[in-house]
Structure formats: C-alpha cells, structure tokens
Amino acid sequence: MSAEAPRPAEAEPAKAELAEPGAEPATLGLDGKVALVTGATRGVGFAVARKLAAAGAQVILDYAHSEADAERALRDLSGLKGSAIARRADVTSPEQLHALLAEVRERYGRLDIFVHSVASWHPMPAVGARPDGVRADLSAALDPLLHGASAIADLMAYGPGRIVAVSSSGAHRAVPRYVGPGIAKAALESLVGYLAVELAGRRIAVNAVATAKLDKGPDTPDPATAAALAARTPGGRLTTPADVADVVALLCTAEAGWIQGQVITADGGLGLRA
C-alpha cells in the first residue's frame, strides 16, 4: 500500500459532500498529495492520518516509540483511497527529524502537507512546577517546527504547501496540572503566527487547530469530568480525534489557502460557555 504516485496536474478541486464528522470524504482535492503526520499512530495524529489517507493522500506516519502501534495503524489504514507508510523518528531530535525529511525527499521529491501533532504532558501545578518537565513539554511542542521549518519549506517549493499544528485550549485557560503543555501550546501558537508571516510568500499556509478535552472512548481519563464537560458542550458531547482531523483536513484544501496564522477551535462550542 506504499506505492508512489506521480505529482498530479493542477486541477479544479471537487467539492466535498456534506457528511458526518469522521465520515470518509468523496474528495477534498487531496488526491496524490504527500503528507507527513507526526505522532501519527495514536490519538489525534492517527485520526488525521486516516482522514488524509481516506481523501487520497500519500501519508507518512511518524512515530517515536511503539512498533506495535505503528503496525496496528497501518492495518487500520489498509484499503483506503490513499496510501500509508510508517517511519520511526523522534522529531524533537534535529538529527532524526532531518533524516526523516531527507527520506521524504528521496522517496517522493516533495512534501505538500506537514501536520505537527506530537505533544507531551508532565502533570504538575504551576507553583512548584518541575522545570525539566516543562522544558520537555516545550521541546515536544516547538522543536519539530523550529528545527524543521526550513527543510519543510524547501520540500514544499512546488507549492502550495500546508503546515498545521495541533494545539489545545489549555494555551489560554488555566487547566489544573496542565502548566507544561499549556505554556508549550501557547508558545506553539505564537510560532505558528511567525511562520505564517514568513512563509506566506512561498505559497505555504501555516495554521493551528485547537481543542479541549477529548473523548478517547474507554481510554478517556477522569470519566466524571469528561461527562460534566460533555454536558456543558453545546454540541452535546466531547470532541473526538476525528472532529479535530476533519478541521485539519479542511485547512489542507486549496480553498483554505488564504487562511494564514490562525488558530481554529474545534470544541463543539464548549469554549463559548460562561
């Protein structure tokens, strides 16, 4: 399922049909696009990889740890419209990140979409926070784009390109014991704006998608809090990884090319409640 496809000729993208969140798209104009998704074998990253592969993209699933998760992810993506391969690389390491990007160049000759969904969380309060844990969370949020932006932009020289980062409502709200990723995501959103300004002239759109607490099914932590937040959400439920993936995919379409440096919130309206 890792067969390569030549770069498609520029064409008028077909209109996507209306569908429920997470439904397979008829087309999003992403057929044949080359997409690299970091942290792509679990959670939001996997949901994004699935959405893009279902839309016809050639997806590289980056992962740092579990071979079993990577094998499961490839099995789950088998049979979709696009293709998928998995590559192990810790994208917070400049050496491993650049080796991964070099392989993308050698294999495909270009990159159309880069989705940054790697994150870490060291639970702690702000008062008495462990600086090493906060630094680790900052590294996960910032290093892939700080170290990789130049090489990623060069791979997108054919244009148009899309860079999308996954953020969190914790960037702007004081979530208990979330100080590390909260600070990290706030810094990530600022970096998205700076990159958007510098890369817009190269036909590369840089944006972020933020969400609140996610419904991870049986793996959702603190079910009581999850239930309370679901009841407060105007949409009537918590956000799922597929909901986030839908918005990421929309930002990758041709029609989203004039959206630059924005943080799109996908939370079912939870953030609107007083």
Side-chain angles (χ1 to χ4, degrees), residues 156-185:
M156 294 181 175
Y158 289 102
R162 299 287 185 268
I163 298 174
V164 185
V166 177
S167 188
S168 164
S169 60
H172 306 286
R173 296 173 180 268
V175 178
R177 301 181 60 78
Y178 197 74
V179 63
I183 292 171
K185 293 299 189 181

Side-chain angles (χ1 to χ4, degrees), residues 4-273:
E4 299 174 31
R7 183 173 180 86
E10 293 294 333
E12 179 71 16
K15 300 297 183 182
E17 297 178 358
L18 293 175
E20 290 299 314
E24 305 300 350
T27 179
L28 289 170
L30 302 180
D31 302 76
K33 298 292 187 180
V34 178
L36 172 57
V37 183
T38 69
T41 59
R42 300 173 58 189
V44 169
F46 173 70
V48 170
R50 191 181 201 289
K51 184 74 176 184
L52 296 179
Q58 303 174 82
V59 186
I60 304 103
L61 283 69
D62 161 73
Y63 67 102
H65 302 295
S66 173
E67 298 282 355
D69 283 345
E71 293 171 1
R72 174 201 52 76
L74 289 178
R75 287 195 303 270
D76 288 348
L77 298 183
S78 177
L80 295 179
K81 185 178 182 181
S83 65
I85 61 173
R87 292 294 182 265
R88 186 169 187 170
D90 177 358
V91 292
T92 66
S93 161
E95 294 78 11
Q96 294 186 45
L97 173 62
H98 284 288
L100 175 61
L101 294 173
E103 181 178 352
V104 171
R105 180 180 294 278
E106 181 178 358
R107 186 180 184 91
Y108 300 100
R110 73 185 199 281
L111 183 65
D112 302 299
I113 297 166
F114 182 87
V115 180
H116 172 31
S117 62
V118 169
S120 76
W121 178 23
H122 295 76
M124 67 185 85
V127 178
R130 302 186 308 279
D132 58 337
V134 174
R135 281 193 290 269
D137 294 340
L138 281 165
S139 175
L142 298 178
D143 285 358
L145 291 178
L146 285 176
H147 294 303
S150 179
I152 292 167
D154 287 344
L155 279 168
M156 294 181 175
Y158 289 102
R162 299 287 185 268
I163 298 174
V164 185
V166 177
S167 188
S168 164
S169 60
H172 306 286
R173 296 173 180 268
V175 178
R177 301 181 60 78
Y178 197 74
V179 63
I183 292 171
K185 293 299 189 181
L188 174 62
E189 291 182 9
S190 180
L191 178 59
V192 162
Y194 277 93
L195 291 175
V197 169
E198 295 189 18
L199 294 177
R202 299 171 69 170
R203 300 176 66 208
I204 299 171
V206 187
N207 294 287
V209 177
T211 190
K213 187 175 180 65
L214 290 172
D215 181 355
K216 299 179 180 179
D219 296 327
T220 304
D222 194 356
T225 299
L229 289 173
R232 284 182 53 78
T233 302
R237 59 174 176 81
L238 288 181
T239 305
T240 67
D243 294 321
V244 181
D246 286 345
V247 181
V248 171
L250 288 174
L251 287 173
C252 295
T253 62
E255 291 86 348
W258 207 237
I259 301 174
Q260 283 281 6
Q262 301 303 303
V263 180
I264 310 299
T265 299
D267 68 354
L270 178 60
L272 300 174
R273 299 301 291 266

